Amino acid sequence: QSQLVESGGGLAQPGKSLRLSCAAHGFNFKLYSIAWFHQAPGKDREGISCIRSTGGNTTYADSVKGRFTISRDAAQNVVFLQMNNLKPEDTGRYYCALRRGCTDVGVPGSREIYWGQGTEVTVSS
C-alpha cells in the first residue's frame, strides 16, 4: 500500500531543535514535490515549506524562514525538515504531502495529492 509516514516529532524546549522525516512507501518519491504543513491546536492547517521534485528549489513561510530547512536525501526517498530555534508557537501537528510543484503553498488545495498522518511537536519549557 502506498503511503507517507512522518516521524521525529516530540517534546522540545524553546530554542532547541527537532528533525522531522517524511518517508515514502510505494511511491517513486523523487518524481514529486513535497510540502510540510503545520496545524497549531485549534487552528487551520498551513503550509510552511516545500521542496521541488529535483531537490534544487525550496520555499518557506515567513514564520519559519531562517529557522527551518527542508531537504531530500541522496536517493530522494526521504524528505527532512530541520527545525532550529523552536518557539512555543511551533507547537502542533506537522504533515507532509505530495504536491504538484511548490507555488502558492499556504493553505491546502488542489495541488496536494497525497497526505501523511502527521507527527506531533510540542515546544514548551
Side-chain angles (χ1 to χ4, degrees):
Q1 183 179 9
S2 299
Q3 62 183 111
L4 298 178
V5 179
E6 300 96 333
S7 62
L11 175 65
Q13 294 180 322
K16 301 300 183 181
S17 298
L18 288 172
R19 186 177 177 88
L20 306 184
S21 300
C22 174
H25 301 268
F27 295 100
N28 188 351
F29 207 29
K30 69 180 181 180
L31 297 179
Y32 300 92
S33 297
I34 301 294
W36 282 99
F37 289 77
H38 172 229
Q39 188 165 20
K43 302 295 184 180
D44 294 332
R45 195 176 302 183
E46 60 181 348
I48 56 170
S49 188
C50 187
I51 187 165
R52 291 183 169 86
S53 60
T54 62
N57 298 100
T58 58
T59 63
Y60 299 94
D62 289 342
S63 61
V64 306
K65 191 173 184 179
R67 299 189 297 122
F68 292 7
T69 303
I70 191 170
S71 63
R72 308 181 82 130
D73 75 353
Q76 298 186 344
N77 62 342
V78 181
V79 170
F80 301 102
L81 186 68
Q82 178 68 43
M83 305 190 296
N84 296 329
N85 193 23
L86 285 163
K87 302 177 179 179
E89 53 262 43
D90 296 322
T91 292
R93 195 163 184 87
Y94 287 78
Y95 301 85
C96 65
L98 272 68
R99 199 176 193 274
R100 295 186 177 97
C102 286
T103 58
D104 300 323
V105 177
V107 297
S110 61
R111 288 190 172 94
E112 287 77 41
I113 60 175
Y114 202 85
W115 292 88
Q117 296 297 314
T119 184
E120 291 287 339
V121 170
T122 301
V123 183
S124 176
S125 60

